[in-house]
Structure formats: structure tokens, C-alpha cells
Amino acid sequence: MGSANGLTAINGKQPLFSFGLISDVQYADIPDGRSFLGVPRYYRHSIVVLQRAVKEWNTSKRHKFVINFGDIVDGFCPKDQSLSTVKKLVDEFEMFNGPVYHLIGNHCLYNLPRSKLLPLLKIKSFESHAYYDFSPVPEYRFVVLDGYDISAIGWPQDHPKTLEALKFLREKNPNEDKNSPTGLVGLERRFLMFNGAIGKEQMEWLNNVLQEATKLKQKVVVCCHLPLDPGASSKEALLWNYAEVMNLIHKYTCVKLCLSGHDHKGGYSLDSHGVHHRVLEAALECPTGTDAFGYADVYDDRVSLYGTDRMQSTDMYFHPKADL
């Protein structure tokens, strides 16, 4: 699979803009290991994947920005190295000649509390929230969700959001180890500690942003570390309240695409309302000499993702009925 990976420009039409993307680098200066499912993880090689990505993005000189979809450092990173390792990875991203937008993931929060993490990632936030939006061109808006808004990780232990998450997990997951899906059936298997939810305030914010985007006739790309559609993801990787979030999104026709990480194998689906869901393949799972990163060309009627090597290319045309 080459970097162009089968997609070709249609009618020579130029995109409105392009951007680079990568997810789940999960670097750590430790020997290679395996996930709990036995999938190999290449902790030291992943930073090389990132370096190659930045070099390629810079060489093309056409990408308006880059988005990192979360988990830049792995949870197995020795905790006395967490701060320096996060800084090291941020510095690699900063080598890109343009803006870099970061999402937070569970592995980021295993390493540093929000109060230390968000300033390093240059996420300007109110009360340590990591959701925000930006508009790279008048026709488009990107909405970055904080999937660990309600979470047992990242907030202080006595924080109301931590307590709410722990209460939720006690109700939904009977296992002593709250990262174990044993005995959970079907979509219940998402009720794990390494996932999280979007809280009431963030839902209200999202509603307001989508209202504004609709008035401005903007198309919206939603970005969240945690996947939002079961068709694109393992059940164990979904946002706890993905259905609530998608019910809100489906009230509007402006959202065309949801991009996520977290589920390392990657995935794609087109939901019942014509919204595309693309879960990105993880940089962490690239053996030496292979890559998983890409870029997207954004048009008025589609987003074309060009994947490198292990990242699949995906042409995502917008559903015409969604604009009615």
C-alpha cells in the first residue's frame, strides 16, 4: 500500500485545504511488548513513524495543519520520565511547519494530570477541559471533543467528574478490574475504565457549536479520541455515551465526518444518517520499516484520506440527502 493507496484526484479539482493526521503514537523508551489481546506494540519505533510523518507533511508544503488524535505517550512509560517524554513527543510534532492540534487520550492521562498535560499540548482550556473548535476555512469547522470529560483518569481523585465516572463504572461493570469486559455482553463491553464520556456542559457546548455552524452553512468534522459508531470500532473502544452524542449530531445536517483513534486496528462506517466514521490505525503497531499516518484532502463534497502503508486510504463522499 503506497502513500497514494489507490485514490486519484477527480477531474483535477483542487481541494479547499489539506491536513495531516496520525494517532496513537504511544511512544515509550521500553522494549517492544504486546496488548492485552496479544497484538505486538513497537514502543521505541513509534517515534520514528512520527518523525517520518512530519518530514512527509513538511515536504508536501500543502497541509494547513496537523491533528494528533491522542495517546502520544504509552501508559507503560516509567512515571519519572512522563513529563520529559511528553515534552519530547510534543517537540517532534512542533517540527511541523504549521499549527498542530492535539486530542487527549487515556494513555496521555496515565502519564500526566490534565493540569500539566493541557499546557504542554497547547490546549487553551477553561477549568482543564480539552474540547475546542476551529475553522481553517470559512466553509469548514473542526470540533474537537474531550472523550475523557467524565473519566476515572486524569482528574484529581476527589474531583466530581472522577466520582461520577467511578459510580457509573460500579453500576455498569461488575468486575473488580474495571478495565475487564468479562461477562459484559455486546455494546456493554464499552463500560471500561480506559474509556470515558462527554458531560452535560460539553454536550451543551457541542449543541451551540453545531447551531452556529448550521447558521454559517459550515460543514463539520468531529474529532474524538474515542470512536462514536459501533460499525467502525470494537465494542470495547467506544465512548460510553456515544449514542447520546450521535443523537445530538444527527439533529443537524452539518456534521459530515467523525474521526477517531483509540481502536488501534482502525475502522470505517457510514451511519444511518449519512455521517462517515473513520477510526485511524495506530502508529504504535507499526513494525520497523512500516508506517501509519496520512493526510486528508478536503473538498466541498467529500474528504479523501490518503493513508501511508498500514493506514488505509478512504474516499468519503457526503450523503446528498444530508444537505436537504
Side-chain angles (χ1 to χ4, degrees):
M1 231 178 291
S3 57
N5 219 0
L7 297 188
T8 54
I10 297 180
N11 301 329
K13 188 179 173 186
Q14 291 299 306
L16 295 171
F17 64 96
S18 304
F19 66 96
L21 34 74
I22 193 168
S23 192
D24 296 85
V25 175
Q26 287 183 225
Y27 170 78
D29 187 13
I30 57 174
D32 294 343
R34 291 180 181 271
S35 72
F36 64 94
L37 293 174
V39 179
R41 292 183 162 183
Y42 305 94
Y43 296 109
R44 290 187 174 122
H45 179 249
S46 65
I47 196 170
V48 180
V49 176
L50 173 59
Q51 288 164 344
R52 282 198 289 257
V54 171
K55 186 178 179 183
E56 194 157 309
W57 295 328
N58 280 338
T59 300
S60 81
K61 294 182 180 173
R62 56 192 289 266
H63 303 314
K64 205 169 181 69
F65 57 91
V66 161
I67 306 182
N68 155 43
F69 282 83
D71 284 357
I72 55 173
V73 173
D74 194 82
F76 283 131
C77 176
K79 293 302 161 277
D80 61 339
Q81 296 174 25
S82 288
L83 186 62
S84 61
T85 305
V86 170
K87 283 180 177 175
K88 179 177 180 175
L89 270 289
V90 168
D91 286 346
E92 292 293 343
F93 273 102
E94 292 294 315
M95 297 298 287
F96 172 67
N97 298 325
V100 178
Y101 297 98
H102 291 279
L103 280 66
I104 60 168
N106 51 310
H107 283 267
C108 308
L109 297 170
Y110 296 149
N111 279 280
L112 293 175
R114 285 169 175 265
S115 55
K116 288 187 177 176
L117 179 67
L118 300 191
L120 286 174
L121 298 179
K122 296 184 171 59
I123 296 175
K124 297 184 181 73
S125 69
F126 174 69
E127 293 184 345
S128 291
H129 295 304
Y131 54 87
Y132 58 95
D133 67 309
F134 63 97
S135 179
V137 296
E139 299 93 330
Y140 271 87
R141 185 179 298 219
F142 282 67
V143 175
V144 174
L145 298 179
D146 181 350
Y148 292 90
D149 186 7
I150 308 297
S151 169
I153 49 178
W155 298 103
Q157 285 187 321
D158 60 350
H159 195 283
K161 289 179 182 284
T162 308
L163 300 176
E164 183 180 344
L166 290 171
K167 180 175 181 285
F168 180 85
L169 284 169
R170 279 195 300 272
E171 291 169 359
K172 299 288 187 181
N173 187 334
N175 296 304
E176 190 174 339
D177 175 7
K178 298 302 180 190
N179 275 327
S180 170
T182 302
L184 299 177
V185 178
L187 290 167
E188 292 176 353
R189 294 176 72 83
R190 72 187 186 277
F191 298 134
L192 305 172
M193 194 181 279
F194 58 64
N195 297 328
I198 285 171
K200 185 172 178 287
E201 285 179 11
Q202 187 177 176
M203 289 291 288
E204 290 170 356
W205 170 83
L206 175 60
N207 187 48
N208 290 335
V209 170
L210 297 181
Q211 272 184 2
E212 188 180 318
T214 301
K215 283 178 191 167
L216 295 171
K217 294 184 166 54
Q218 291 176 322
K219 294 178 172 69
V220 175
V221 177
V222 170
C223 305
C224 184
H225 180 68
L226 294 158
L228 301 173
D229 187 69
S233 169
S234 303
K235 296 174 181 71
E236 295 84 356
L238 292 161
L239 185 81
W240 290 341
N241 62 335
Y242 77 87
E244 181 188 4
V245 173
M246 288 313 303
N247 283 342
L248 173 58
I249 285 173
H250 287 153
K251 287 180 181 174
Y252 298 88
T253 58
C254 56
V255 177
K256 305 302 180 186
L257 169 62
C258 297
L259 292 170
S260 302
H262 196 49
D263 192 18
H264 291 184
K265 70 182 188 308
Y268 168 77
S269 66
L270 180 66
D271 73 23
S272 59
H273 287 66
V275 178
H276 296 272
H277 295 260
R278 182 68 172 85
V279 180
L280 303 174
E281 292 81 0
L284 174 65
E285 294 185 0
C286 294
T288 302
T290 65
D291 288 314
F293 60 86
Y295 68 91
D297 282 347
V298 181
Y299 299 84
D300 191 52
D301 64 342
R302 72 189 186 279
V303 173
S304 295
L305 168 60
Y306 293 85
T308 299
D309 211 3
R310 292 171 63 86
M311 185 173 284
Q312 297 282 339
S313 292
T314 318
D315 233 345
M316 295 169 281
Y317 281 84
F318 304 151
H319 203 279
K321 286 182 182 174
D323 288 318
L324 297 178

